[in-house]
Structures are given as structure tokens and as C-alpha cells.
Amino acid sequence: MNSEFGLMHLWAQGDIVTRIVFVILASMSVLSWCVIIIKGLGILRVQGQARKVPGFWHNADLDAALGSLGSGAGNPFKLVAEEGREAAAHYRATTPQLHDSLDINDWIRSALNHSIDNITARLQSGLVILASVGSTAPFVGLFGTVWGIYHALMSIGLSGQASIDKVAGPIGEALIMTGFGLAVAIPAVLGYNVLVRGNKAILGRLHRFAHDLHAFYITGARVTAASVEGNIIRMKKA
């Protein structure tokens, strides 16, 4: 690109408004990429933790099963299992008068749903940033273009030189801001869609795991397709 034109030249020749728009778009780009990378790595980590869930049911007791899920901080599958265990233990430890109006089925389901809601909020945190960047960055860039064209035309009018070579350069340079806005918005939109899809897959597996946990804490057995024929997987409770 000609050194007389482009973003660097626009920054050098632009006024305070143009520079503010440039800084806003650059900040949006950095912020969106940080969210994409951090949340993307988080999804990959949780997907690795999800692969350990089938082995959870191949343990002789609950403590060993929880240990098989791994010791990683924030493991959603382990958090849900521990929440269910604590709810079941609390229910059985309290006197009947304290929970006559709520049976163990509703109590454990409520505890599991509460845990999943917290995990869902954590998985979705940061996505609003990508949605905001994807929807506003093109308009911020367009505002920069309009402002740049306005000042370019004002400068050309004051100089009295309206030849094509004098008009094309400043106006073409101002149009770069629109391209910059699109370059910021497109990765944010694509990243948002990919992360939402990844979170949806994780939550689907988490809900299935919670369903099995609910059955286990109520009946002592996991719900499986084989259970219809009487082959129920048994595990000792802690």
C-alpha cells in the first residue's frame, strides 16, 4: 500500500474524532479476539472433561467416580455431580418436618437445575461482547468514513483543487474505516456463532449427565437403554 495512504496516514492526518473512531475499532478487535481465544480454549477444555463422563459409571463407588472426572478447576460435570450428592445428603440428614412439602425427587432436581443454570451463565459470559462488536463495529467504521469524507471535501473545497487525483486519495482513505469496521465485525460474528454452538453441545451433554445423576441419587442406578431389560448399572453411594 502506498505510504501516503492507509490507516497510518489516516491516523497521522486525521482529527481527534477520526483517531477516537480508530482507537474504538482497534479496542473492539483486541477485545473480541481475547474473548474468542479464551472462550474457545475453555470449550476445548470442557470437551476433554466430557470425554471422561462415560467412565464415571464404571466405578464401584461415588467417590471414585467423582475422582475419575478429573481434578480440573471448574469442571462442570464434576460440579453437577457434587451438587447432586450434597443435595441428596442434605435431604437425608434433615428431619422429616423440614421437608415434608418437598420430596427428594423435586429437591435433587432443583439442586441439579440450579447448578446447570450457574454453569450456563458462566459458559455464556463474554458472548455479549462478541454480539455487541459484531453489530456495532460496521456502523462505527461507517461513521468514521462519513466523518473522513466530510473533512476531505471541506479541505478540497478550501484548497480549490477538485481534480480527480486530489479527491480520490482522501475519500478513498476515508473509506478504509468502513473496511476496518467490517474486519472487526466479521470475526466477532463468526466467533460468536462457533462459541454458541460449542456451548450448546456442552449443555446438551451436561443435561443428559444430570438426568442420569438424578436417577442415580433417587434410585441408586443410572438410567440406561439397557435398564428396560433389567440390566441396571449399580454404584455404591458415598
PDB file of all heavy atoms in Angstrom, residues 10 141-142 144-146 148-149 168-181:
ATOM      1  N   LEU A  10      -3.949   7.868   7.676  1.00  0.00           N
ATOM      2  CA  LEU A  10      -5.217   8.397   8.173  1.00  0.00           C
ATOM      3  C   LEU A  10      -5.084   8.824   9.627  1.00  0.00           C
ATOM      4  O   LEU A  10      -5.644   9.844  10.036  1.00  0.00           O
ATOM      5  CB  LEU A  10      -6.294   7.317   8.031  1.00  0.00           C
ATOM      6  CG  LEU A  10      -7.721   7.698   8.445  1.00  0.00           C
ATOM      7  CD1 LEU A  10      -8.244   8.815   7.565  1.00  0.00           C
ATOM      8  CD2 LEU A  10      -8.633   6.492   8.371  1.00  0.00           C
ATOM      9  N   GLY A 141     -17.329   2.025  11.987  1.00  0.00           N
ATOM     10  CA  GLY A 141     -16.475   2.260  10.819  1.00  0.00           C
ATOM     11  C   GLY A 141     -17.131   3.166   9.802  1.00  0.00           C
ATOM     12  O   GLY A 141     -16.468   4.025   9.202  1.00  0.00           O
ATOM     13  N   LEU A 142     -18.435   2.996   9.602  1.00  0.00           N
ATOM     14  CA  LEU A 142     -19.155   3.853   8.661  1.00  0.00           C
ATOM     15  C   LEU A 142     -19.175   5.298   9.136  1.00  0.00           C
ATOM     16  O   LEU A 142     -19.027   6.232   8.324  1.00  0.00           O
ATOM     17  CB  LEU A 142     -20.590   3.338   8.493  1.00  0.00           C
ATOM     18  CG  LEU A 142     -21.470   4.089   7.490  1.00  0.00           C
ATOM     19  CD1 LEU A 142     -20.861   4.024   6.092  1.00  0.00           C
ATOM     20  CD2 LEU A 142     -22.881   3.509   7.489  1.00  0.00           C
ATOM     21  N   GLY A 144     -16.855   6.673  10.907  1.00  0.00           N
ATOM     22  CA  GLY A 144     -15.509   7.180  10.614  1.00  0.00           C
ATOM     23  C   GLY A 144     -15.346   7.554   9.153  1.00  0.00           C
ATOM     24  O   GLY A 144     -14.688   8.553   8.818  1.00  0.00           O
ATOM     25  N   THR A 145     -15.944   6.756   8.271  1.00  0.00           N
ATOM     26  CA  THR A 145     -15.870   7.060   6.837  1.00  0.00           C
ATOM     27  C   THR A 145     -16.606   8.351   6.500  1.00  0.00           C
ATOM     28  O   THR A 145     -16.084   9.215   5.766  1.00  0.00           O
ATOM     29  CB  THR A 145     -16.460   5.888   6.031  1.00  0.00           C
ATOM     30  OG1 THR A 145     -15.627   4.749   6.174  1.00  0.00           O
ATOM     31  CG2 THR A 145     -16.567   6.250   4.555  1.00  0.00           C
ATOM     32  N   VAL A 146     -17.806   8.491   7.029  1.00  0.00           N
ATOM     33  CA  VAL A 146     -18.593   9.703   6.754  1.00  0.00           C
ATOM     34  C   VAL A 146     -17.865  10.927   7.274  1.00  0.00           C
ATOM     35  O   VAL A 146     -17.787  11.965   6.590  1.00  0.00           O
ATOM     36  CB  VAL A 146     -19.991   9.587   7.394  1.00  0.00           C
ATOM     37  CG1 VAL A 146     -20.744  10.914   7.290  1.00  0.00           C
ATOM     38  CG2 VAL A 146     -20.787   8.474   6.727  1.00  0.00           C
ATOM     39  N   GLY A 148     -14.643  11.228   7.778  1.00  0.00           N
ATOM     40  CA  GLY A 148     -13.437  11.450   6.972  1.00  0.00           C
ATOM     41  C   GLY A 148     -13.750  12.066   5.628  1.00  0.00           C
ATOM     42  O   GLY A 148     -13.029  12.966   5.158  1.00  0.00           O
ATOM     43  N   ILE A 149     -14.826  11.597   4.992  1.00  0.00           N
ATOM     44  CA  ILE A 149     -15.216  12.163   3.694  1.00  0.00           C
ATOM     45  C   ILE A 149     -15.630  13.621   3.846  1.00  0.00           C
ATOM     46  O   ILE A 149     -15.289  14.479   3.018  1.00  0.00           O
ATOM     47  CB  ILE A 149     -16.360  11.330   3.076  1.00  0.00           C
ATOM     48  CG1 ILE A 149     -15.838   9.961   2.639  1.00  0.00           C
ATOM     49  CG2 ILE A 149     -16.986  12.060   1.889  1.00  0.00           C
ATOM     50  CD1 ILE A 149     -16.902   9.034   2.112  1.00  0.00           C
ATOM     51  N   ALA A 168      -9.734  11.582  -5.044  1.00  0.00           N
ATOM     52  CA  ALA A 168      -9.720  10.127  -4.863  1.00  0.00           C
ATOM     53  C   ALA A 168      -8.926   9.704  -3.642  1.00  0.00           C
ATOM     54  O   ALA A 168      -9.335   8.804  -2.906  1.00  0.00           O
ATOM     55  CB  ALA A 168      -9.158   9.463  -6.117  1.00  0.00           C
ATOM     56  N   GLY A 169      -7.777  10.340  -3.417  1.00  0.00           N
ATOM     57  CA  GLY A 169      -6.926   9.939  -2.303  1.00  0.00           C
ATOM     58  C   GLY A 169      -7.587  10.091  -0.945  1.00  0.00           C
ATOM     59  O   GLY A 169      -7.777   9.104  -0.218  1.00  0.00           O
ATOM     60  N   PRO A 170      -7.989  11.293  -0.554  1.00  0.00           N
ATOM     61  CA  PRO A 170      -8.612  11.478   0.768  1.00  0.00           C
ATOM     62  C   PRO A 170      -9.906  10.702   0.955  1.00  0.00           C
ATOM     63  O   PRO A 170     -10.144  10.125   2.020  1.00  0.00           O
ATOM     64  CB  PRO A 170      -8.864  12.987   0.819  1.00  0.00           C
ATOM     65  CG  PRO A 170      -7.877  13.570  -0.134  1.00  0.00           C
ATOM     66  CD  PRO A 170      -7.759  12.576  -1.243  1.00  0.00           C
ATOM     67  N   ILE A 171     -10.752  10.659  -0.080  1.00  0.00           N
ATOM     68  CA  ILE A 171     -12.015   9.936   0.061  1.00  0.00           C
ATOM     69  C   ILE A 171     -11.771   8.426   0.122  1.00  0.00           C
ATOM     70  O   ILE A 171     -12.382   7.705   0.922  1.00  0.00           O
ATOM     71  CB  ILE A 171     -12.973  10.291  -1.091  1.00  0.00           C
ATOM     72  CG1 ILE A 171     -13.390  11.761  -0.966  1.00  0.00           C
ATOM     73  CG2 ILE A 171     -14.200   9.377  -1.082  1.00  0.00           C
ATOM     74  CD1 ILE A 171     -14.352  12.220  -2.028  1.00  0.00           C
ATOM     75  N   GLY A 172     -10.879   7.940  -0.720  1.00  0.00           N
ATOM     76  CA  GLY A 172     -10.544   6.511  -0.667  1.00  0.00           C
ATOM     77  C   GLY A 172      -9.956   6.130   0.668  1.00  0.00           C
ATOM     78  O   GLY A 172     -10.224   5.050   1.197  1.00  0.00           O
ATOM     79  N   GLU A 173      -9.162   7.010   1.231  1.00  0.00           N
ATOM     80  CA  GLU A 173      -8.577   6.757   2.546  1.00  0.00           C
ATOM     81  C   GLU A 173      -9.653   6.721   3.623  1.00  0.00           C
ATOM     82  O   GLU A 173      -9.612   5.891   4.538  1.00  0.00           O
ATOM     83  CB  GLU A 173      -7.548   7.838   2.859  1.00  0.00           C
ATOM     84  CG  GLU A 173      -6.698   7.556   4.081  1.00  0.00           C
ATOM     85  CD  GLU A 173      -5.586   8.568   4.209  1.00  0.00           C
ATOM     86  OE1 GLU A 173      -5.896   9.700   4.621  1.00  0.00           O
ATOM     87  OE2 GLU A 173      -4.444   8.237   3.889  1.00  0.00           O
ATOM     88  N   ALA A 174     -10.646   7.592   3.513  1.00  0.00           N
ATOM     89  CA  ALA A 174     -11.731   7.599   4.489  1.00  0.00           C
ATOM     90  C   ALA A 174     -12.552   6.314   4.418  1.00  0.00           C
ATOM     91  O   ALA A 174     -13.044   5.815   5.436  1.00  0.00           O
ATOM     92  CB  ALA A 174     -12.633   8.809   4.261  1.00  0.00           C
ATOM     93  N   LEU A 175     -12.673   5.757   3.208  1.00  0.00           N
ATOM     94  CA  LEU A 175     -13.429   4.517   3.052  1.00  0.00           C
ATOM     95  C   LEU A 175     -12.760   3.336   3.748  1.00  0.00           C
ATOM     96  O   LEU A 175     -13.415   2.318   3.995  1.00  0.00           O
ATOM     97  CB  LEU A 175     -13.618   4.216   1.566  1.00  0.00           C
ATOM     98  CG  LEU A 175     -14.576   5.150   0.805  1.00  0.00           C
ATOM     99  CD1 LEU A 175     -14.535   4.857  -0.681  1.00  0.00           C
ATOM    100  CD2 LEU A 175     -15.994   4.997   1.341  1.00  0.00           C
ATOM    101  N   ILE A 176     -11.482   3.465   4.041  1.00  0.00           N
ATOM    102  CA  ILE A 176     -10.785   2.391   4.746  1.00  0.00           C
ATOM    103  C   ILE A 176     -11.428   2.122   6.096  1.00  0.00           C
ATOM    104  O   ILE A 176     -11.445   0.981   6.575  1.00  0.00           O
ATOM    105  CB  ILE A 176      -9.296   2.756   4.914  1.00  0.00           C
ATOM    106  CG1 ILE A 176      -8.602   2.763   3.542  1.00  0.00           C
ATOM    107  CG2 ILE A 176      -8.589   1.768   5.836  1.00  0.00           C
ATOM    108  CD1 ILE A 176      -7.153   3.204   3.596  1.00  0.00           C
ATOM    109  N   MET A 177     -11.982   3.148   6.722  1.00  0.00           N
ATOM    110  CA  MET A 177     -12.595   2.969   8.028  1.00  0.00           C
ATOM    111  C   MET A 177     -13.786   2.007   7.965  1.00  0.00           C
ATOM    112  O   MET A 177     -14.013   1.223   8.892  1.00  0.00           O
ATOM    113  CB  MET A 177     -13.047   4.315   8.590  1.00  0.00           C
ATOM    114  CG  MET A 177     -11.910   5.285   8.871  1.00  0.00           C
ATOM    115  SD  MET A 177     -10.729   4.666  10.101  1.00  0.00           S
ATOM    116  CE  MET A 177     -11.709   4.787  11.584  1.00  0.00           C
ATOM    117  N   THR A 178     -14.532   2.042   6.864  1.00  0.00           N
ATOM    118  CA  THR A 178     -15.633   1.093   6.702  1.00  0.00           C
ATOM    119  C   THR A 178     -15.098  -0.328   6.596  1.00  0.00           C
ATOM    120  O   THR A 178     -15.634  -1.265   7.202  1.00  0.00           O
ATOM    121  CB  THR A 178     -16.461   1.436   5.456  1.00  0.00           C
ATOM    122  OG1 THR A 178     -17.044   2.726   5.609  1.00  0.00           O
ATOM    123  CG2 THR A 178     -17.564   0.412   5.246  1.00  0.00           C
ATOM    124  N   GLY A 179     -14.032  -0.492   5.810  1.00  0.00           N
ATOM    125  CA  GLY A 179     -13.407  -1.809   5.700  1.00  0.00           C
ATOM    126  C   GLY A 179     -12.857  -2.284   7.031  1.00  0.00           C
ATOM    127  O   GLY A 179     -12.950  -3.474   7.370  1.00  0.00           O
ATOM    128  N   PHE A 180     -12.284  -1.358   7.793  1.00  0.00           N
ATOM    129  CA  PHE A 180     -11.752  -1.701   9.112  1.00  0.00           C
ATOM    130  C   PHE A 180     -12.884  -2.154  10.036  1.00  0.00           C
ATOM    131  O   PHE A 180     -12.745  -3.122  10.797  1.00  0.00           O
ATOM    132  CB  PHE A 180     -11.018  -0.496   9.695  1.00  0.00           C
ATOM    133  CG  PHE A 180     -10.254  -0.783  10.956  1.00  0.00           C
ATOM    134  CD1 PHE A 180      -9.803  -2.052  11.251  1.00  0.00           C
ATOM    135  CD2 PHE A 180      -9.981   0.235  11.857  1.00  0.00           C
ATOM    136  CE1 PHE A 180      -9.090  -2.313  12.418  1.00  0.00           C
ATOM    137  CE2 PHE A 180      -9.278  -0.003  13.025  1.00  0.00           C
ATOM    138  CZ  PHE A 180      -8.835  -1.288  13.306  1.00  0.00           C
ATOM    139  N   GLY A 181     -14.017  -1.458   9.967  1.00  0.00           N
ATOM    140  CA  GLY A 181     -15.165  -1.855  10.783  1.00  0.00           C
ATOM    141  C   GLY A 181     -15.652  -3.252  10.442  1.00  0.00           C
ATOM    142  O   GLY A 181     -15.971  -4.053  11.329  1.00  0.00           O
TER     143      GLY A 181
END
